[in-house]
Amino acid sequence: MKIQALAYAVLAVCGLSAASAAEPATKPAAPATPAVPKAAAADTPDAARMRAAEKLTEQQIKSTTNREALSRLAQFYNGRDLQRFIWAMQRLVELYPNSGALRLQLAAVYAGQGDKSSTYDTLLKMQNLGFAYSVGNDPRFEKVRGTKVWEYAVANLNANAQPFGEGKVAYQLPAGDRLLEAMAWDARRKQLLVGSAREGAIYRVGSDGKLSDFIKPDAASGLYSVLDMKADAANDALWVASYGAPVYKTYTADIVDQSYLLKYSLSSGKLLGKYSIGDKTGHLFGFVAVAGDGRTYVADPARREIYKLDGDKLVLVASNPSLTGISGLTVSADGRNLYFADPALGLFGVDLSTTTPFGIGHSTDSLVVGGVSSLFWYDGSLVVVQDNMVPQRVMRLKLDKGGRNVVSAMPLDAAKPEFSLLGNGAVAGDDFYFVVNSQRDLYDSHGVLTDEKALQPVKIYKSNLRFAWDQPGISAALKPIPTSAESKVRFEQPAAEKPKADDKQ
């Protein structure tokens, strides 16, 4: 029950369920209710909207930038108007280029029509992007099987599902009703810290994986569910994003929608500061970032807002309601750029000297930057945990000198057998620690643990951030066709593609 996952609600709408699309627009009236005259029914707002939708041209559908409206249109067309459904799906793929589920559904629609060329083209693009969907036995693709190209497409997608990387489980934390996901690295003591969303407690992790109390639960201080943490060893500070979430064990009406940015002493655990906004309600602090000079930022994923701590006040730095959410936050080493992830739309940044937002330039034909659940900075690169990617993976994206374009990308670990539900992480020197089997899916929307017996020891993975450091960036998949046997897929931005300085979402 990861709070940031709420940002994916708009993509759930894009699931385009055939059942919901086929539901009758009107239901039969009860016997005692007089029938509505046809003329009156035709004049209802819903009927007018339906007539308008049935007349939309290809150009009108493919020129829309309203994602939610287009999603609703696709739902309406599904099962009613195949051609317009395809146009809507094609445009949705353009607007959500990081969604493998949308691409797969579009390929299945093509396959249902026996359109081999469009099906193969879509599947090969998906494998080149690194997606790993199993389609070999999918009945939706029955009409396009039996060709060499089909066999290549299936093999390439399956190849992306093969485990990749040298990372291993470094710690196995004891099982329990804690929901441990927030992590931080204490560079002074060379020790990992973990925070509990269930208890509101923070623990130190021993070399044997055993937990020792560091900061005990204290609702009076505003320490509720610990959603994120960042350690600033140089300033002896531990920054914590706390939220009154339903999953918090002692959740009450008094803490609903209360959220705080808390500052503790990294050495003693003493509370040093407590910061909130306005009346302290209606906010959700989900991510924290700390610059090299100690400047601290916190993101509100629900409101799509980022704040900077200025003295004892939180000041708005960036806000964009058109985002689907915020699912990660980090700052460049020089403190010039603040980076954040939108779980559906990808990676963005803010020039902190001018507060100007920008998009992270990359090739959308070879790199997926969506599905990010947490984001980190390391030596001129962004490290992204893509829990909502198929396959799940951790990527290192090397940026150009300006920090606005991806010049190469390298998977650190992908599709590992231990990966079930990736959680948060922490950079520790040249190493990266992250949760690989989060227990959050065991809690329902009300914060109730659904199956206590299903709780498992929490596994924390360790990846080498300098893995294949001098390599240009490769794909773990087979080569698409046609291509030479010696070629490699490069995750690079085409020379002709230049990001706009004022690129906004």
Side-chain angles (χ1 to χ4, degrees), residues 107-426:
V109 173
Y110 289 143
Q113 305 309 303
D115 185 347
K116 293 182 179 180
S117 178
S118 295
T119 303
Y120 299 157
D121 180 62
T122 302
L123 294 178
L124 288 173
K125 285 180 179 178
M126 289 176 65
Q127 74 83 32
N128 193 50
L129 282 164
F131 288 112
Y133 290 95
S134 178
V135 300
N137 297 317
D138 191 324
R140 295 176 297 175
F141 293 89
E142 183 65 36
K143 294 182 180 180
V144 298
R145 292 193 178 105
T147 68
K148 199 67 177 178
V149 181
W150 166 255
E151 293 174 1
Y152 266 90
V154 172
N156 286 350
L157 288 167
N158 289 340
N160 286 342
Q162 297 304 307
F164 179 86
E166 299 178 351
K168 297 179 180 179
V169 174
Y171 299 100
Q172 187 162 285
L173 309 185
D177 184 15
R178 295 187 180 92
L179 191 52
L180 301 171
E181 288 205 41
M183 299 176 64
W185 176 252
D186 184 346
R188 187 69 56 85
R189 278 153 282 275
K190 308 296 182 185
Q191 193 172 39
L192 202 63
L193 305 176
V194 294
S196 168
R198 188 73 165 145
E199 300 172 318
I202 299 173
Y203 301 92
R204 289 191 178 276
V205 180
S207 58
D208 56 359
K210 292 184 178 179
L211 304 178
S212 59
D213 292 341
F214 178 45
I215 300 175
K216 295 184 178 182
D218 183 8
S221 70
L223 184 59
Y224 311 134
S225 290
V226 179
L227 298 188
D228 194 22
M229 302 190 299
K230 289 295 185 300
D232 180 4
N235 295 295
D236 189 35
L238 176 66
W239 295 93
V240 177
S242 168
Y243 175 59
V247 76
Y248 181 56
K249 278 185 178 179
T250 54
Y251 178 78
T252 65
D254 294 335
I255 68 170
V256 172
D257 285 339
Q258 287 195 24
S259 200
Y260 296 95
L261 173 65
L262 302 174
K263 180 182 181 182
Y264 292 91
S265 165
L266 185 58
S267 57
S268 69
K270 179 182 178 181
L271 180 63
L272 303 177
K274 177 181 178 180
Y275 312 97
S276 62
I277 298 172
D279 61 1
K280 306 173 186 176
T281 62
H283 287 272
L284 190 172
F285 293 155
F287 296 95
V288 181
V290 182
D293 61 3
R295 284 179 295 162
T296 305
Y297 303 85
V298 62
D300 182 334
R303 293 197 178 196
R304 289 82 161 167
E305 297 172 344
I306 301 174
Y307 294 85
K308 170 188 174 182
L309 183 61
D310 187 356
D312 62 350
K313 296 184 181 300
L314 290 170
V315 179
L316 186 66
V317 172
S319 175
N320 191 335
S322 67
L323 296 172
T324 70
I326 297 177
S327 56
L329 191 69
T330 193
V331 188
S332 59
D334 59 11
R336 183 174 62 178
N337 294 326
L338 178 69
Y339 298 97
F340 62 95
D342 178 304
L345 304 180
L347 301 173
F348 304 92
V350 177
D351 184 327
L352 292 173
S353 64
T354 63
T355 66
T356 303
F358 58 87
I360 305 298
H362 67 283
S363 171
T364 56
D365 292 328
S366 57
L367 179 63
V368 172
V369 293
V372 174
S373 56
S374 52
L375 176 68
F376 306 86
W377 176 267
Y378 174 76
D379 196 4
S381 304
L382 292 175
V383 178
V384 297
V385 176
Q386 293 181 293
D387 174 54
N388 292 286
M389 168 74 181
V390 180
Q392 295 172 310
R393 64 189 189 181
V394 174
M395 297 284 289
R396 185 186 66 227
L397 311 180
K398 190 172 292 186
L399 304 180
D400 61 10
K401 290 183 179 179
R404 298 194 177 193
N405 304 288
V406 177
V407 295
S408 66
M410 175 64 69
L412 299 180
D413 282 288
K416 295 303 238 354
E418 300 88 355
F419 289 9
S420 60
L421 197 58
L422 303 188
N424 213 328

Side-chain angles (χ1 to χ4, degrees), residues 429-484:
D430 292 335
D431 295 318
F432 181 61
Y433 293 97
F434 59 102
V435 175
V436 297
N437 67 330
S438 167
Q439 313 289 294
R440 64 181 180 267
D441 59 340
L442 296 179
Y443 299 85
D444 65 19
S445 60
H446 301 290
V448 177
L449 177 61
T450 57
D451 186 359
E452 187 172 0
K453 294 181 179 179
L455 290 170
Q456 301 176 359
V458 177
K459 296 178 182 178
I460 297 181
Y461 229 61
K462 179 181 178 181
S463 293
N464 180 5
L465 289 169
R466 302 197 77 81
F467 169 75
W469 185 257
D470 296 325
Q471 294 187 24
I474 61 174
S475 170
L478 297 174
K479 312 299 184 292
I481 51 175
T483 187
S484 72

